[in-house]
Tab-separated table of all heavy atoms in Angstrom:
chain	number	residue	atom	x	y	z
L	1	ILE	N	68.854	95.393	89.025
L	1	ILE	CA	69.149	93.988	88.990
L	1	ILE	C	70.542	93.761	88.420
L	1	ILE	O	70.930	94.513	87.329
L	1	ILE	CB	68.139	93.231	88.288
L	1	ILE	CG1	68.297	91.675	88.417
L	1	ILE	CG2	68.074	93.637	86.832
L	1	ILE	CD1	67.054	90.831	88.033
L	2	GLY	N	71.367	92.887	88.908
L	2	GLY	CA	72.648	92.627	88.413
L	2	GLY	C	72.565	91.623	87.152
L	2	GLY	O	71.512	91.523	86.551
L	3	LEU	N	73.672	91.102	86.830
L	3	LEU	CA	73.837	90.365	85.485
L	3	LEU	C	72.888	89.143	85.420
L	3	LEU	O	72.260	88.875	84.368
L	3	LEU	CB	75.185	90.010	85.260
L	3	LEU	CG	76.178	91.208	85.026
L	3	LEU	CD1	77.624	90.654	84.735
L	3	LEU	CD2	75.674	92.127	83.946
L	4	SER	N	72.917	88.363	86.434
L	4	SER	CA	72.247	87.087	86.442
L	4	SER	C	70.862	87.105	87.157
L	4	SER	O	70.137	86.134	87.114
L	4	SER	CB	73.080	85.960	86.972
L	4	SER	OG	73.347	86.212	88.400
L	5	GLY	N	70.588	88.220	87.823
L	5	GLY	CA	69.409	88.300	88.633
L	5	GLY	C	69.582	87.930	90.061
L	5	GLY	O	68.656	88.062	90.882
L	6	GLY	N	70.795	87.560	90.483
L	6	GLY	CA	71.164	87.210	91.811
L	6	GLY	C	71.069	88.448	92.776
L	6	GLY	O	70.785	88.310	93.967
L	7	ARG	N	71.475	89.553	92.213
L	7	ARG	CA	71.470	90.790	92.985
L	7	ARG	C	70.231	91.642	92.608
L	7	ARG	O	70.170	91.986	91.447
L	7	ARG	CB	72.698	91.627	92.691
L	7	ARG	CG	74.029	90.964	93.076
L	7	ARG	CD	75.233	91.823	92.653
L	7	ARG	NE	76.495	91.232	92.782
L	7	ARG	CZ	77.293	91.390	93.698
L	7	ARG	NH1	76.998	92.101	94.752
L	7	ARG	NH2	78.481	90.730	93.727
L	8	THR	N	69.367	91.996	93.573
L	8	THR	CA	68.301	92.911	93.236
L	8	THR	C	68.228	93.903	94.367
L	8	THR	O	68.554	93.618	95.529
L	8	THR	CB	66.928	92.139	93.216
L	8	THR	OG1	66.705	91.371	94.384
L	8	THR	CG2	66.912	91.127	91.978
L	9	TYR	N	67.741	95.128	93.908
L	9	TYR	CA	67.735	96.243	94.928
L	9	TYR	C	66.415	96.955	94.564
L	9	TYR	O	65.961	97.088	93.453
L	9	TYR	CB	68.898	97.187	94.641
L	9	TYR	CG	70.304	96.560	94.607
L	9	TYR	CD1	70.808	96.008	93.461
L	9	TYR	CD2	70.950	96.335	95.862
L	9	TYR	CE1	72.031	95.382	93.476
L	9	TYR	CE2	72.194	95.691	95.801
L	9	TYR	CZ	72.706	95.279	94.636
L	9	TYR	OH	73.934	94.631	94.678
L	10	TYR	N	65.902	97.536	95.755
L	10	TYR	CA	64.546	98.118	95.627
L	10	TYR	C	64.456	99.455	96.400
L	10	TYR	O	65.114	99.636	97.531
L	10	TYR	CB	63.409	97.249	96.120
L	10	TYR	CG	63.307	95.989	95.352
L	10	TYR	CD1	63.914	94.794	95.716
L	10	TYR	CD2	62.539	96.098	94.147
L	10	TYR	CE1	63.733	93.667	95.003
L	10	TYR	CE2	62.308	94.857	93.445
L	10	TYR	CZ	62.922	93.711	93.804
L	10	TYR	OH	62.842	92.543	93.084
L	11	TYR	N	63.728	100.420	95.992
L	11	TYR	CA	63.379	101.590	96.699
L	11	TYR	C	62.503	101.076	97.904
L	11	TYR	O	61.692	100.247	97.691
L	11	TYR	CB	62.658	102.617	95.764
L	11	TYR	CG	62.309	103.939	96.373
L	11	TYR	CD1	63.279	104.602	97.194
L	11	TYR	CD2	61.111	104.514	96.189
L	11	TYR	CE1	62.953	105.884	97.662
L	11	TYR	CE2	60.805	105.784	96.673
L	11	TYR	CZ	61.737	106.397	97.413
L	11	TYR	OH	61.401	107.638	97.932
L	12	ASP	N	62.708	101.802	99.015
L	12	ASP	CA	61.990	101.293	100.223
L	12	ASP	C	60.494	101.210	100.051
L	12	ASP	O	59.854	100.283	100.561
L	12	ASP	CB	62.296	102.199	101.405
L	12	ASP	CG	63.671	101.915	101.989
L	12	ASP	OD1	64.384	100.945	101.560
L	12	ASP	OD2	64.184	102.689	102.833
L	13	SER	N	59.928	102.164	99.301
L	13	SER	CA	58.484	102.277	99.289
L	13	SER	C	57.855	101.160	98.359
L	13	SER	O	56.608	100.979	98.377
L	13	SER	CB	58.015	103.678	98.703
L	13	SER	OG	58.323	103.837	97.350
L	14	VAL	N	58.682	100.519	97.586
L	14	VAL	CA	58.131	99.375	96.748
L	14	VAL	C	58.488	98.020	97.167
L	14	VAL	O	58.062	97.044	96.594
L	14	VAL	CB	58.569	99.637	95.215
L	14	VAL	CG1	58.241	101.054	94.755
L	14	VAL	CG2	60.058	99.323	95.004
L	15	LYS	N	59.371	97.917	98.149
L	15	LYS	CA	59.736	96.615	98.649
L	15	LYS	C	58.539	95.870	99.149
L	15	LYS	O	57.633	96.314	99.792
L	15	LYS	CB	60.730	96.740	99.855
L	15	LYS	CG	62.070	97.148	99.402
L	15	LYS	CD	63.036	97.347	100.691
L	15	LYS	CE	64.443	97.774	100.383
L	15	LYS	NZ	65.291	97.899	101.573
L	16	GLY	N	58.542	94.549	98.677
L	16	GLY	CA	57.371	93.691	99.078
L	16	GLY	C	56.218	93.816	98.071
L	16	GLY	O	55.274	92.967	98.099
L	17	ARG	N	56.275	94.784	97.250
L	17	ARG	CA	55.182	95.007	96.305
L	17	ARG	C	55.606	94.806	94.840
L	17	ARG	O	54.901	94.283	93.980
L	17	ARG	CB	54.518	96.432	96.357
L	17	ARG	CG	53.909	96.689	97.745
L	17	ARG	CD	53.132	98.009	97.778
L	17	ARG	NE	53.968	99.145	97.464
L	17	ARG	CZ	53.752	100.016	96.460
L	17	ARG	NH1	52.767	99.811	95.623
L	17	ARG	NH2	54.575	101.009	96.282
L	18	PHE	N	56.890	95.293	94.519
L	18	PHE	CA	57.435	95.212	93.165
L	18	PHE	C	58.535	94.087	93.118
L	18	PHE	O	59.250	93.911	94.153
L	18	PHE	CB	58.063	96.471	92.809
L	18	PHE	CG	57.115	97.615	92.525
L	18	PHE	CD1	55.744	97.522	92.902
L	18	PHE	CD2	57.545	98.763	91.974
L	18	PHE	CE1	54.953	98.595	92.629
L	18	PHE	CE2	56.713	99.853	91.721
L	18	PHE	CZ	55.334	99.797	92.099
L	19	THR	N	58.632	93.486	92.014
L	19	THR	CA	59.727	92.431	91.795
L	19	THR	C	60.420	92.766	90.416
L	19	THR	O	59.700	92.731	89.428
L	19	THR	CB	59.236	91.074	91.845
L	19	THR	OG1	58.499	90.861	93.142
L	19	THR	CG2	60.269	90.053	91.667
L	20	ILE	N	61.661	92.896	90.439
L	20	ILE	CA	62.434	93.034	89.239
L	20	ILE	C	63.035	91.690	88.880
L	20	ILE	O	63.480	90.915	89.716
L	20	ILE	CB	63.554	94.140	89.404
L	20	ILE	CG1	64.188	94.406	87.939
L	20	ILE	CG2	64.595	93.785	90.413
L	20	ILE	CD1	65.117	95.545	88.044
L	21	SER	N	63.005	91.374	87.513
L	21	SER	CA	63.674	90.102	87.151
L	21	SER	C	64.104	90.316	85.681
L	21	SER	O	63.763	91.326	85.097
L	21	SER	CB	62.593	88.977	87.203
L	21	SER	OG	61.460	89.227	86.325
L	22	ARG	N	64.926	89.398	85.191
L	22	ARG	CA	65.464	89.420	83.821
L	22	ARG	C	65.479	88.088	83.257
L	22	ARG	O	65.684	87.075	83.878
L	22	ARG	CB	66.852	90.126	83.848
L	22	ARG	CG	67.947	89.324	84.407
L	22	ARG	CD	69.211	90.234	84.585
L	22	ARG	NE	69.721	90.495	83.314
L	22	ARG	CZ	70.629	91.442	83.063
L	22	ARG	NH1	71.000	92.225	84.115
L	22	ARG	NH2	71.100	91.704	81.893
L	23	ASP	N	65.305	88.062	81.947
L	23	ASP	CA	65.456	86.855	81.135
L	23	ASP	C	66.507	87.134	80.041
L	23	ASP	O	66.216	87.773	79.085
L	23	ASP	CB	64.162	86.436	80.463
L	23	ASP	CG	64.106	85.169	79.758
L	23	ASP	OD1	65.214	84.763	79.304
L	23	ASP	OD2	63.077	84.553	79.501
L	24	ASN	N	67.710	86.662	80.247
L	24	ASN	CA	68.840	86.917	79.433
L	24	ASN	C	68.691	86.297	77.981
L	24	ASN	O	69.203	86.763	77.009
L	24	ASN	CB	70.128	86.561	80.036
L	24	ASN	CG	70.522	87.553	81.188
L	24	ASN	OD1	70.064	88.624	81.263
L	24	ASN	ND2	71.497	87.124	82.050
L	25	ALA	N	67.942	85.232	77.987
L	25	ALA	CA	67.661	84.543	76.691
L	25	ALA	C	66.769	85.376	75.816
L	25	ALA	O	66.873	85.306	74.582
L	25	ALA	CB	67.078	83.199	76.902
L	26	LYS	N	65.953	86.153	76.422
L	26	LYS	CA	65.030	87.063	75.722
L	26	LYS	C	65.397	88.546	75.644
L	26	LYS	O	64.676	89.379	75.186
L	26	LYS	CB	63.585	86.959	76.308
L	26	LYS	CG	63.025	85.592	76.157
L	26	LYS	CD	61.517	85.581	76.788
L	26	LYS	CE	60.933	84.214	76.598
L	26	LYS	NZ	59.553	84.151	77.163
L	27	ASN	N	66.597	88.842	76.277
L	27	ASN	CA	67.103	90.199	76.346
L	27	ASN	C	66.078	91.207	76.862
L	27	ASN	O	65.878	92.267	76.376
L	27	ASN	CB	67.469	90.651	74.937
L	27	ASN	CG	68.683	90.028	74.368
L	27	ASN	OD1	69.351	89.233	75.070
L	27	ASN	ND2	69.040	90.299	73.163
L	28	THR	N	65.396	90.729	77.970
L	28	THR	CA	64.353	91.452	78.560
L	28	THR	C	64.467	91.573	80.052
L	28	THR	O	64.785	90.592	80.718
L	28	THR	CB	63.020	90.832	78.179
L	28	THR	OG1	62.837	90.793	76.749
L	28	THR	CG2	61.833	91.640	78.696
L	29	VAL	N	64.086	92.727	80.592
L	29	VAL	CA	63.966	92.869	82.099
L	29	VAL	C	62.548	93.224	82.345
L	29	VAL	O	61.936	93.896	81.610
L	29	VAL	CB	65.035	93.949	82.588
L	29	VAL	CG1	64.699	95.270	81.998
L	29	VAL	CG2	64.950	94.003	84.054
L	30	TYR	N	62.016	92.730	83.515
L	30	TYR	CA	60.690	92.947	83.889
L	30	TYR	C	60.487	93.715	85.237
L	30	TYR	O	61.455	93.654	86.073
L	30	TYR	CB	59.964	91.568	83.939
L	30	TYR	CG	60.054	90.773	82.726
L	30	TYR	CD1	60.971	89.789	82.581
L	30	TYR	CD2	59.099	90.972	81.715
L	30	TYR	CE1	61.041	88.938	81.400
L	30	TYR	CE2	59.169	90.119	80.596
L	30	TYR	CZ	60.156	89.189	80.433
L	30	TYR	OH	60.194	88.457	79.375
């Protein structure tokens, strides 16, 4: 995931099942 969460990229086998996100206020990526 990029800085603001606008860019996300996935391995083919997890697309549609996994979601990456980030909360910059909490310094955390999920």
Side-chain angles (χ1 to χ4, degrees):
I1 190 166
L3 296 182
S4 63
R7 301 176 188 261
T8 57
Y9 308 92
Y10 297 94
Y11 186 43
D12 284 348
S13 71
V14 308
K15 284 181 181 176
R17 300 189 297 122
F18 290 12
T19 302
I20 188 170
S21 62
R22 65 189 295 162
D23 185 336
N24 287 341
K26 296 182 178 180
N27 289 356
T28 302
V29 63
Y30 303 96

